[in-house]
Amino acid sequence: MKLHKYILLAGAGLFLSAGLIGQTNAQAASDDGAINERWGKSTFVAGAGLSQQQLTETMDTLKISQDTVKMEQATGADLVKYLGYGSGDDSVMLSSVVVNREYQGKGINVEILTPQNITQITADQYKNPLVTAGITDATVKVASVVKVTGESALTGVYKAFEANGETVDPERAQLAQTELDTTSDVAQSVVDNANEQSQNQDLSDNEKEKADEAYKAQLNQALVDIKKDLAELKEQQGELATKEDVEKIVNDALEKNNLSQYVTKDDINKLITLAQQYQTTDGVLDKESIEQLDKISDDFKGTVNKLSDQLGKFGDSLKGTLEDNQGFFANLWQQIKDFFSGLTK
């Protein structure tokens, strides 16, 4: 019996060691200075409205030069092409992006290098729309030397992909912009309502900013939950969700992420309309998109937990039920602990 236990312990030890070694190697591969991309050089897409001085300043901010990147330009015509609206005026194209095409499974990562000039959209808020548009496994850096709301940065990402021979579906790109606009509006409504209800919490301005970011991250996670639930229902039933199904899925996602008390009926209707469009746009709920959603979901949960911890007791009310799903490895670790506990009894 003791020998049997030792064999089990040794096997579990090898399993854990293999997992840790694999994790370490993967980490080393991403942190050794090499760029995991499939295009060769990074692609820099500059806003066409930038003056030469602004272009130089933007490149300095992004720490790039003409020799180190592939140069492209996002024009007003590109805005119309990818987003389905706009005047075609180049002068409004002021934000710029650098895009790295990463190895498969890396997921989507976004960093805003000039947060003081991107006034409306957070780095996390770009991620869901990029997945909706069909963008996979990419690192995106956004910068602007003048104040902009930030919506048109998506155009630069699409331009980078097509400049490297990868097709961007216009229908998905336009839905992605609808998603960004819709969720930006709903996020602002959530923040306004939450702040109004939390006035007696005596939060400092800095704490309010952290709380606002957490609310936005919760909404981002709610979108992930909505998409995944729609995809799962379609797979189980072999048909699209009914309007009633969609309404329940949206409300459940908002409740799960502790947002029900901060959204209006109009907010819910906007999200229901958006969810119905997910179902009728090819590719949005396919397997590859769901895999990308799993990657960004970890980011959203991490943002909420980090900010909640910084906000102490008030932060406890922000977490909702995000901690209910700790992920595969957390659950696996708990199972292993339970297994060893059973051996020692």
Side-chain angles (χ1 to χ4, degrees):
M1 184 65 181
K2 287 184 178 179
L3 178 61
H4 178 64
K5 288 185 178 181
Y6 289 142
I7 292 173
L8 286 174
L9 287 168
L14 287 172
F15 172 79
L16 287 172
S17 297
L20 290 172
I21 291 170
Q23 184 179 21
T24 301
N25 287 342
Q27 185 68 27
S30 62
D31 292 341
D32 62 2
I35 299 175
N36 294 310
E37 58 182 351
R38 308 200 298 244
W39 294 343
K41 290 182 178 181
S42 305
T43 300
F44 170 53
V45 185
L50 296 175
S51 67
Q52 185 58 49
Q53 180 179 348
Q54 289 172 328
L55 177 62
T56 300
E57 187 180 344
T58 300
M59 294 180 72
D60 288 343
T61 299
L62 290 164
K63 294 181 172 56
I64 57 173
S65 67
Q66 292 188 17
D67 294 333
T68 61
V69 295
K70 179 176 182 177
M71 300 277 292
E72 296 290 337
Q73 192 176 65
T75 66
D78 291 325
L79 187 71
V80 175
K81 172 184 176 181
Y82 295 119
L83 307 188
Y85 65 77
S87 64
D89 185 0
D90 286 350
S91 66
V92 301
M93 307 300 290
L94 298 170
S95 58
S96 302
V97 297
V98 171
V99 185
N100 289 334
R101 188 68 159 102
E102 306 288 0
Y103 60 84
Q104 188 173 359
K106 178 73 171 180
I108 293 173
N109 295 283
V110 180
E111 181 182 2
I112 297 177
L113 298 188
T114 56
Q116 72 279 9
N117 286 336
I118 308 293
T119 62
Q120 190 168 325
I121 311 300
T122 67
D124 277 350
Q125 283 179 298
Y126 285 117
K127 295 175 183 178
N128 260 306
L130 286 172
V131 174
T132 294
I135 301 301
T136 61
D137 303 317
T139 295
V140 180
K141 294 183 178 180
V142 184
S144 177
V145 295
V146 295
K147 287 190 179 295
V148 294
T149 53
E151 295 99 325
S152 66
L154 293 179
T155 302
V157 179
Y158 306 148
K159 185 70 176 279
F161 266 70
E162 293 214 321
N164 287 281
E166 301 198 38
T167 302
V168 176
D169 182 344
E171 186 178 6
R172 290 185 67 170
Q174 290 176 25
L175 176 56
Q177 190 63 34
T178 299
E179 178 179 50
L180 185 63
D181 293 341
T182 299
T183 54
S184 179
D185 289 344
V186 173
Q188 190 58 54
S189 176
V190 166
V191 166
D192 291 344
N193 291 331
N195 286 339
E196 184 178 344
Q197 294 179 35
S198 302
Q199 286 178 351
N200 61 345
Q201 299 293 334
D202 295 325
L203 296 178
S204 68
D205 289 343
N206 180 259
E207 289 172 331
K208 284 184 178 180
E209 287 181 7
K210 291 180 179 179
D212 292 351
E213 186 180 350
Y215 293 132
K216 291 178 181 179
Q218 286 173 309
L219 181 59
N220 295 331
Q221 179 57 38
L223 289 180
V224 170
D225 293 337
I226 289 168
K227 292 174 185 176
K228 293 181 70 173
D229 287 348
L230 287 171
E232 183 177 353
L233 189 148
K234 182 180 179 181
E235 183 177 354
Q236 290 177 348
Q237 296 185 172
E239 58 187 23
L240 300 182
T242 65
K243 184 176 180 181
E244 290 74 19
D245 290 332
V246 173
E247 184 173 355
K248 184 178 188 308
I249 285 172
V250 169
N251 280 304
D252 285 350
L254 292 170
E255 183 176 0
K256 176 182 176 182
N257 291 280
N258 206 28
L259 294 173
S260 295
Q261 67 271 40
Y262 303 132
V263 290
T264 66
K265 182 62 177 175
D266 184 51
D267 294 333
I268 294 172
N269 288 335
K270 288 178 180 178
L271 294 174
I272 290 172
T273 299
L274 185 62
Q276 289 173 319
Q277 289 179 279
Y278 292 152
Q279 292 197 108
T280 56
T281 305
D282 289 343
V284 173
L285 301 179
D286 65 13
K287 181 180 178 181
E288 186 175 29
S289 294
I290 297 302
E291 289 173 350
Q292 294 292 312
L293 290 175
D294 286 335
K295 296 287 185 182
I296 63 175
S297 177
D298 291 338
D299 297 338
F300 302 150
K301 293 176 182 178
T303 296
V304 173
N305 287 327
K306 177 190 72 175
L307 294 170
S308 297
D309 289 342
Q310 292 174 2
L311 289 169
K313 184 176 180 181
F314 177 75
D316 292 339
S317 66
L318 298 176
K319 291 185 180 182
T321 56
L322 286 178
E323 293 182 333
D324 289 351
N325 299 309
Q326 293 296 327
F328 171 76
F329 284 107
N331 290 330
L332 177 63
W333 178 244
Q334 185 60 51
Q335 291 173 26
I336 291 172
K337 289 197 294 183
D338 292 343
F339 170 74
F340 284 130
S341 177
L343 288 177
T344 57
K345 290 181 179 179

